[in-house]
Amino acid sequence: MASSVNRDRDGDRVFVLTFTLQRDRYCVRAASVDSVLGVSDDQSVATADDPWNAGTVSVAGDRIRVVDLPRAFTSSTRTINRIETPKLLVFRLTDADDAYVGWLVDDVDVTRTVRTTDLESTPTGARTAHVKGRLEIDGEEVLWLDERAIHG
């Protein structure tokens, strides 16, 4: 009986993985991420014509389509300050071509437990079309990204 009470009380809690792009913090549901990889050479991704489809990489025989989030979420008139060792969040789902999808990000933090009831809506706009909402983690605003909307 105690377990059903705990399940009801904790039913709105989920783990999210937090990460940064430029100086902004974001998160995504941790269960949707398969792995986090270090990227030693992002030059081909950084110069791709389309940041939403910035090329593919192969890891252990699997293809990963790369979304260059720093470029995709930045105005075309703003210069991106690339970090030396970006990370690639690789998601569990594959796209229509059976390639996994990976997001190039600046840095990955740790998983956090959040309450879905704490999620607040965000103003509408081009970037927010990919945002589920915002919440506060450790006193900072974090935007929760909708991986299904980004993967298309």
Side-chain angles (χ1 to χ4, degrees):
M1 182 137 168
S3 64
S4 66
V5 170
N6 287 341
R7 186 172 47 247
D8 291 340
R9 187 178 61 218
D10 294 338
D12 69 337
R13 293 182 186 269
V14 296
F15 289 107
V16 295
L17 180 63
T18 57
F19 58 93
T20 57
L21 295 174
Q22 305 289 305
R23 290 178 293 264
D24 298 323
R25 289 188 68 195
Y26 296 87
C27 70
V28 67
R29 187 181 297 266
S32 64
V33 177
D34 188 52
S35 61
V36 177
L37 305 173
V39 177
S40 59
D41 181 12
D42 68 337
Q43 189 58 37
S44 63
V45 170
T47 58
D49 290 337
D50 181 3
W52 294 100
N53 188 5
T56 58
V57 296
S58 292
V59 176
D62 292 321
R63 288 181 316 116
I64 303 167
R65 180 176 61 90
V66 178
V67 176
D68 186 355
L69 279 189
R71 285 183 44 224
F73 282 11
T74 303
S75 164
S76 60
T77 60
R78 195 170 133 202
T79 303
I80 296 175
N81 296 323
R82 289 281 186 183
I83 66 165
E84 192 170 314
T85 55
K87 304 289 188 253
L88 187 67
L89 298 180
V90 180
F91 289 84
R92 294 183 189 278
L93 297 176
T94 58
D95 66 10
D97 296 325
D98 284 333
Y100 289 91
V101 178
W103 297 353
L104 190 67
V105 301
D106 291 344
D107 196 19
V108 177
D109 197 7
V110 296
T111 57
R112 311 283 182 160
T113 304
V114 299
R115 297 177 70 107
T116 56
T117 54
D118 291 340
L119 194 61
E120 300 174 6
S121 63
T122 56
T124 58
R127 184 175 74 167
T128 58
H130 302 100
V131 175
K132 286 185 179 183
R134 68 175 170 225
L135 41 85
E136 189 173 302
I137 299 176
D138 297 336
E140 291 186 67
E141 180 180 89
V142 177
L143 294 178
W144 186 333
L145 296 182
D146 182 348
E147 70 273 5
R148 292 184 187 272
I150 291 175
H151 297 172

